[in-house]
Amino acid sequence: MINEAAAWRWIDLALAFAAAAMIVYGVLVLGWSVFVVIALFWLENVVIGIFNVARMLISGARLGGAGLIAALALSAFFTVHYGMFTAVHGVFVVMLFGQPELGGALSGLFGPLTRMIDYLLADRDGWFAAVGITLLQAAAFFRWMVASRAPSASALPALMFAPYGRIVILHVTVIASGFLVDMLNMPILGAILLVALKLVFDIVSVNSSSSVAAPAKHAPVRRFIISREEDATRS
């Protein structure tokens, strides 16, 4: 079990480094700006939300018919709530960092988002980034499929709230750092610093989740050793 957990940890770390390497390549070779980097982080959140709905449906189906019905209801609520949350976050990204590159009047809720997505996917480089993000998240989804085969009644509530902490912590930090980068007026270095910041966040998240999961697997062995010691003392 320990070796299996370590293997999954290395897979998660490899996915985090692959995502960072892809964006660094875009900054250094393809000339991506700070706005494009932050917009790609936002797009990654959208992809994560889509795969999270798939996780919820699969977790519910593993529990049987009643579980699937509950998963359908929760995933519908999650889609609306997370969708609005992500949409408002995307508008903030456009208004704070995208206006110089997008140009023109930006108003409403979906107008700025449509302009940002069109800007990201306007050429082959943007499609390269979008496909890369999707493939990396698909790999993470497959990793979850293999690692969580056993049905769990607690999986649905946990998945319901799983993506929110990532958005709040990561993107508040990234947006604050983005203002600092703009003041330094060093776009290439600033974009790479943002990628490095996100990579550190991903590494810390992987390590913390691994350390939380590890003690629970050792508990039965510890209880068995204690019981054997108690038996020896009585005899």
Side-chain angles (χ1 to χ4, degrees):
M1 296 295 290
I2 296 176
N3 291 336
E4 182 180 355
W8 290 129
R9 174 178 174 275
W10 282 112
I11 290 173
D12 288 341
L13 289 175
L15 292 173
F17 275 97
M22 178 186 71
I23 298 181
V24 168
Y25 173 82
V27 172
L28 296 179
V29 178
L30 304 178
W32 293 350
S33 64
V34 170
F35 166 64
V36 170
V37 171
I38 298 177
L40 288 175
F41 291 164
W42 174 84
L43 180 63
E44 184 182 38
N45 286 333
V46 175
V47 176
I48 287 173
I50 294 171
F51 279 111
N52 197 59
V53 170
R55 288 183 173 93
M56 294 174 69
L57 295 176
I58 291 172
S59 296
R62 288 170 174 172
L63 297 172
L68 181 57
I69 293 173
L72 288 170
L74 287 175
S75 61
F77 177 81
F78 172 83
T79 300
V80 174
H81 188 272
Y82 184 82
M84 293 300 296
F85 188 89
T86 308
V88 172
H89 173 226
V91 171
F92 273 105
V93 170
V94 173
M95 294 303 182
L96 294 175
F97 301 103
Q99 287 186 316
E101 294 184 45
L102 298 180
L106 298 170
S107 60
L109 177 61
F110 296 105
L113 298 180
T114 303
R115 291 279 293 280
M116 177 169 63
I117 293 172
D118 289 343
Y119 183 78
L120 288 176
L121 304 180
D123 54 25
R124 184 175 59 186
D125 297 344
W127 281 102
F128 159 76
V131 171
I133 288 171
T134 303
L135 289 177
L136 289 170
Q137 290 303 320
F141 174 76
F142 178 75
R143 168 252 187 274
W144 172 85
M145 283 276 293
V146 175
S148 61
R149 287 174 293 223
S152 173
S154 62
L156 282 176
L159 288 170
M160 178 74 185
F161 299 101
Y164 289 97
R166 179 185 186 278
I167 291 182
V168 173
I169 297 174
L170 174 62
H171 281 268
V172 166
T173 307
V174 166
I175 289 174
S177 302
F179 283 116
L180 178 61
V181 167
D182 278 348
M183 288 189 294
L184 293 175
N185 197 24
M186 301 174 67
I188 294 179
L189 178 60
I192 293 176
L193 286 175
L194 290 179
V195 177
L197 178 65
K198 179 180 178 295
L199 179 60
V200 170
F201 176 86
D202 289 339
I203 292 172
V204 171
S205 299
V206 169
N207 288 334
S208 61
S209 62
S210 299
S211 62
V212 168
K217 295 180 180 180
H218 291 286
V221 178
R222 180 175 175 81
R223 286 197 297 269
F224 174 74
I225 293 173
I226 292 173
S227 63
R228 290 291 298 275
E229 289 175 351
E230 291 174 350
D231 292 341
T233 302
R234 293 192 190 99
S235 61

